Amino acid sequence: MVHSPLKPEPVGDVSPMQELYLRAYRLMLLARVLDDKFASLYRAGKIHGGVFLGRGQEALSVACGLALREGDVFAPLIRDQAGRLAFGEPILDAVRTYLGSALGPMRGRDGNVHRGHPKQGLLAMISHLGAMISVVNGALLARRMKGIAGTVGLACCGDGATSTGAFHEALNQAAVEKLPLVMVVANNQFAYSTPTARQFACDSLLDRAAGYGFHGSEVDGTDLSACLTTLTAAADRARAGRGPQLVVARLLRLCGHGEHDDAHYVDAKLKHLPASRDCLKASEDFLRAQEWADAPTLAAWRAEVVQKVEETLAKVHREPAPDPFKENWYALSARHLCEGYE
Amino acid sequence: MVHSPLKPEPVGDVSPMQELYLRAYRLMLLARVLDDKFASLYRAGKIHGGVFLGRGQEALSVACGLALREGDVFAPLIRDQAGRLAFGEPILDAVRTYLGSALGPMRGRDGNVHRGHPKQGLLAMISHLGAMISVVNGALLARRMKGIAGTVGLACCGDGATSTGAFHEALNQAAVEKLPLVMVVANNQFAYSTPTARQFACDSLLDRAAGYGFHGSEVDGTDLSACLTTLTAAADRARAGRGPQLVVARLLRLCGHGEHDDAHYVDAKLKHLPASRDCLKASEDFLRAQEWADAPTLAAWRAEVVQKVEETLAKVHREPAPDPFKENWYALSARHLCEGYE
Amino acid sequence: MSITYLEAIREAQARALNDDPRVFIYGQDVGAFGGAFKATKNLAARFPGRVLDAPISEDAMAGLAVGAAIEGMRPIIEMQFADFSTVAFNQIINQAATLFWRTNVPCPITVRLPCGGTSGGGPFHSQMMEAIYAHYPGLVVMTPATVEDAYSMLLEAVAIDDPVIFCEHKLLYNHLKAEKLPTEALPVGKARIAREGRDLTIVAYSAMVQEALIVADELATEGWEIEVVDLRSVKPLDTDTVMASVARTGRLLCVGEAFPWGGVTAEVIARVACEGFGLLDVPPQRLNAKDTPVPYHPNLWAAHRPTAPRIAAAARKLLRL
Amino acid sequence: MSITYLEAIREAQARALNDDPRVFIYGQDVGAFGGAFKATKNLAARFPGRVLDAPISEDAMAGLAVGAAIEGMRPIIEMQFADFSTVAFNQIINQAATLFWRTNVPCPITVRLPCGGTSGGGPFHSQMMEAIYAHYPGLVVMTPATVEDAYSMLLEAVAIDDPVIFCEHKLLYNHLKAEKLPTEALPVGKARIAREGRDLTIVAYSAMVQEALIVADELATEGWEIEVVDLRSVKPLDTDTVMASVARTGRLLCVGEAFPWGGVTAEVIARVACEGFGLLDVPPQRLNAKDTPVPYHPNLWAAHRPTAPRIAAAARKLLRL
Ligand SMILES: Cc1ncc(C[n+]2csc(CCOP(=O)(O)OP(=O)(O)O)c2C)c(N)n1
Ligand SMILES: Cc1ncc(C[n+]2csc(CCOP(=O)(O)OP(=O)(O)O)c2C)c(N)n1
Ligand SMILES: [Mg+2]
Ligand SMILES: [Mg+2]
């Protein structure tokens, strides 16, 4: 990817698991702080269009990004700030895209979560749910044709997106072609305001795996260790040629659908279930229980990411907005085939 | 439906099962003879467009039609001549539509297998595979809203159509709404020339049932008794409010995809498997083994349906073709909203 | 009291639900939540069991509507954004639009499409799709430009026995206000003279009507009298009213917010050129959005779609010919 | 030796596969079977692993092509019939067509659409879809009318770094023959004067070019010299060549086989009316298919689409003005 994911300074003589966990935690923290920042910019009217957060989904998302390597393909969805950072997307990309900087990867043409670097394996999502999965398949098939082995593709989506025809066609396609696709479904209980009871009627979305011929696994999306283990294992299986993988995570969206939405429709009872805990808090508790980090360390880490985010924002605030007069208004790469209008 | 399905003359003191079987057999026979007739008309260049046969699938298809009652909804696909007859579609409809009679239900506007009487519950398929299932859902939902209880909807499709997004969206929708949908998949090993290995990668399409929250059952599609039992049971469960049903039948398409196709790609070995037997022959063997019909009776029945088919053809051959000058060329029912062109 | 374009859409649905037991609404988040734009707010509570949340399955949403219509219902389906109707495209143009012609069974469904760009909307939440649907036989395509039309045309959409694609412009939702709901309306298929004039005809529809009216005001200060024709529905398209206007003015500018290849502006100008060639004193002109996806950033978005200044410039050029 | 339009398409694919390891073909039954129309016959055997059968999943077919293109491949996808591309509509217009504009990554995919009516084809195996795709930014839409163009334009479609919708007309597949494959061709985006004349310009594309040529022959016996312009690609659309022809003849008839609302004929006439108004001596005219689905029965089908007699009648009317 564009640069390599945040690595913690060595904390002495740590196990690989501990190192991974620490790295994951700090990426989650960065994602959360960044998301919170976007939320407050949104409230201040500083962002054009919607803001979509990954609050409550950082453990799962970061595990997706960390399960991947350079050269893999990643198709994040709207709640994958953590996974993007873990895969190596620079913070600058997120900030520039949300603020519409002309220097961002989308150059003001597209915004918020619609960003990526397709050539580096980070696909830039279109809005239509389910539509990115077959694109991942295509990238994986191309690699196979080119004789590139050992890379995988990982696509994220929500419970709601599983109802799309595109999801179905793509999963079936991956299975038929035996592609190393890891399909991660974040069942966060809601699709916008729609609860899962109005979205599907199977006992668990994991029941879909057998119908495609996928290997399936389920994970508590609020448990970072579990997410890291499950996602790494799924990616490893795909990498080893054991076919496509479905991972279904259970968690709760701890925010509105977008920041315009107060999520009043989420039952208070649901919010207080153990499965609804905040994965970031849970991992902080875990860090302390394991004595992998104490309160001052956690505070220092937070201060560090806050500073990083503020610096990035300060930089981007000084960047130019796109200029319609400099815009070339060509939709084709073959300019001679573009029609001149007016 | 438009008229009531063929009933055999009482054969004395028969059990209801025997009566159903006999009725089913004679409908299968009629369908086969009719199909064969269309095939020979096609070879003689007498039919415009394609001819699609149900050869080898009559047992399953007839069981679909017979599991339904007046007032139910039926969405047959291209190989359901037997099911259509069993549901009550007049032979005239098939002949008129294949020969493009102006008096047929489609008035020459659509042809061959694209026919129906939607208001009588017999939907007129569009070509796009998977697209009829959600239409059945809509009819069933409407009935629920209108307080009509006890009717079911049955949709047929092939193994290939299960790969469509439309299939997926519709099955999920039926499950969410708990509609009395019976989804029948005729896994006839091929979608046009494409074998199932290139179509899906699950062990059995039945594995899809759990993923939707459907009740699932499998049946040998060459065994008429089994088909009758399985389809009746599925329809009864749906009728009793036990939610949507998936029935997957295994059989072999005993013809080309259409009559233009010689099916040279079907492996001879496959054709000689027990699961590839001709359901019509198998039921004749069964009839004789049970002593429900002897050779002369079978011959008489065949003669009878041949005559029926010939009579219908003779009648339709005298019917007018559609006349472009009498055609109104209006696509809307609100004529005042149609634009006049030219 | 005043009522917005969005409220008019809500009131029309409430009235349709109230007056006709065959009407129901189906779409993502339209139930208790009241829809992404609140076009169905409170309707689920007022009409229990008749305003249903759909899964994210636009193809099946449209298919279900057709099935219900066959059984005599009059479903309204809401696409969360017009752009997502691409997923239902097959069911709309091949299933719904062909049903009556093929089987003689009418297909009274209404497909509500929140259309058009808004600041920050971006390529996938901003599209105008009227041209795509108008191309296909068997559909009526409405593009209301006023609060009154949003109300009365939606009621007519539900009443018509054919599939209606109801293109409601998101930019007008809260911005456009009227004093009260109308009690009468022009028939469907009739365009409206939104402003009378004798120097130039601007033909527009949907949100472009408002832009055209701004231009007419502005050019009035320069002494020009601009006639603005609001098409109201783009299929059927009221060629007669357009031609009668061009007969008065001799000059035609047609403005659309869709992509430039094809679309309403091409159709209008082709009709006038073919059928009313002699009415034109000078070459007709058209103005569309640019030939790229709709950009996200407000700076780019504002330059992508035709707005009053660009329309005024085109109008002045035409007037000087 | 002679070669058909269909064989030209097959040969172009063979050559593309042969010359460029990045090319592969994906579509239903395109492998060992050679495709519903035999456009890929023998290619799977000649190019093992590069001609792949797809499941009945048009959406995923198009999505896969985009993903492969991102990785530097140049996929050709075959829709079994153009009509089924409605299911891939979203991926084509929102995924493929926006990729380059959004991300600067080119999207060199070719979507082969077997288009147009044939006797007995019916509403779902006969559609012309060029207007739908041409409306969207980011796509090139080709409509070859000759064996030579079928060959050379398909090679160019594969070579172009953008998504190309390649509309091949089924009626021409076996009916149209040429002596040999071309070694050179007009550049993409250039229309062709298929026949020179000075009395009337008939603009046509795809199978309508053949009809127009029949009409030109016929009217020649009456002393008229008809110029026939073959658009070759409808996006980009070569307005210059059309206008230069109209400048010579003063009369314009535009013929398309698609539905009458919108489409190529509207676009051509709107462009000429706006940009070449003064070139027209008489009002331009257009001829399209009728505004109903395409009928199954040959009697109805023949009346639904424009054919030589109807075109000739329209041409005579124009010539007498
Ligand atoms: C095909 C399609 N239909 C509708 C939408 C509008 N939409 C955007 S996000 C969303 C809800 C998604 O829910 P889910 O998949 O559960 O993801 P979550 O937001 O919960 O992460 C909807 C309906 C869309 N983007 N695409
Ligand atoms: C969406 C769509 N894509 C492609 C086709 C073309 N097509 C018609 S039948 C067929 C094969 C169907 O196979 P299957 O579903 O197994 O049914 P069978 O013919 O075996 O009964 C195909 C590909 C179609 N009708 N619809
Ligand atoms: Mg969700
Ligand atoms: Mg099959």
Side-chain angles (χ1 to χ4, degrees), chain A residues 158-160 186 188 190-191:
Chain A
D159 43 290
N188 65 4
F190 290 90

Side-chain angles (χ1 to χ4, degrees), chain A residues 109 119 125 146 333 339, chain D residues 70-71 102 162 237 271:
Chain A
R109 293 180 176 187
K119 281 285 185 198
M125 60 172 280
K146 293 195 285 185
S333 76
E339 305 207 288
Chain D
I70 289 172
E71 293 289 310
R102 293 172 67 236
D162 295 289
L237 195 160
R271 289 192 190 193

Side-chain angles (χ1 to χ4, degrees), chain D residues 75-123:
Chain D
I76 301 173
I77 56 175
E78 175 182 297
M79 296 286 158
Q80 202 152 77
F81 284 80
D83 314 58
F84 301 135
S85 75
T86 49
V87 179
F89 187 59
N90 183 55
Q91 293 283 19
I92 294 172
I93 65 132
N94 282 318
Q95 186 86 261
T98 68
L99 181 69
F100 172 73
W101 183 82
R102 293 172 67 236
T103 68
N104 232 10
V105 174
C107 186
I109 74 173
T110 300
V111 183
R112 288 186 38 238
L113 299 187
C115 286
T118 53
S119 173

Side-chain angles (χ1 to χ4, degrees), chain B residues 57 78-79 127-129 157-161 164 188 190-192 253 257, chain D residues 28-29 56 58 80 84 87:
Chain B
Q57 306 194 188
I78 60 174
R79 310 202 187 281
S127 295
H128 297 72
L129 293 168
C157 81
D159 42 289
T164 63
N188 64 4
F190 289 90
Y192 208 151
R253 192 188 73 203
H257 170 63
Chain D
Q28 289 143 28
D29 306 294
I56 306 180
E58 284 81 4
Q80 202 152 77
F84 301 135
V87 179

Side-chain angles (χ1 to χ4, degrees), chain B residues 154-179:
Chain B
L154 188 149
C156 295
C157 81
D159 42 289
T162 64
S163 301
T164 63
F167 173 89
H168 173 74
E169 293 194 1
L171 264 68
N172 184 58
Q173 179 182 60
V176 167
E177 295 295 346
K178 295 176 192 55
L179 297 172

